[in-house]
Amino acid sequence: TRVKENLRNMVDRADRVSFSVEAMVRGYHTYKDIWAAVLGEELLCQRETGNRVDTFAVAVIRDGTVVGHVPKKISSVCSLYLRRGGSIVCRVTGSRRYSEDLVQGGLEIPCVLIFEGGAKHTAKAQKLIESALDVTASVALKDTTNLVY
């Protein structure tokens, strides 16, 4: 049975694939007193089931402490991906900056989200993330085309 278990674990690992997407750690203005972001630092992402503002919230975690959140426009996909056994790692890629796309403003940290999991769920998550980001980009582009100079 031990051989079967080892074989099953090797097959499970072989089925795992990954992709990455550029994103932001939101809410840095709230957590800057407990976290100084370091370029290249890798943090875990975890579902935040008790969040009353966003039922699909995904927290960015450092040493067991929440230090930010995945952007809301992709949080539902991230939350479901984590729920289905995938993992998401957040790698810091830049310095803090003011949010460019949030009306309320705030500080955010540029990052890359690295998704890893089973091939089927990972491919589906990648399509949904790309779709959510494309829709957001096209809406922003559409809004700027109506400006009169």
Side-chain angles (χ1 to χ4, degrees), residues 29-104:
H29 54 281
T30 304
Y31 303 102
K32 66 183 178 180
D33 293 335
I34 61 170
W35 176 48
V38 176
L39 193 63
E41 180 177 16
E42 292 191 350
L43 310 162
L44 296 177
C45 294
Q46 170 180 317
R47 292 176 66 229
E48 192 175 50
T49 55
N51 189 311
R52 293 181 185 186
V53 176
D54 180 4
T55 57
F56 294 106
V58 173
V60 177
I61 308 290
R62 181 177 183 264
D63 296 331
T65 303
V66 175
V67 294
H69 290 86
V70 167
K72 191 170 184 173
K73 65 185 169 188
I74 61 171
S75 67
S76 61
V77 175
C78 294
S79 179
L80 293 172
Y81 184 74
L82 291 168
R83 187 174 178 187
R84 292 195 171 132
S87 66
I88 304 172
V89 172
C90 173
R91 182 180 299 137
V92 175
T93 59
S95 301
R96 71 180 187 175
R97 67 180 200 190
Y98 287 99
S99 175
E100 297 174 356
D101 65 339
L102 292 177
V103 176
Q104 71 271 26

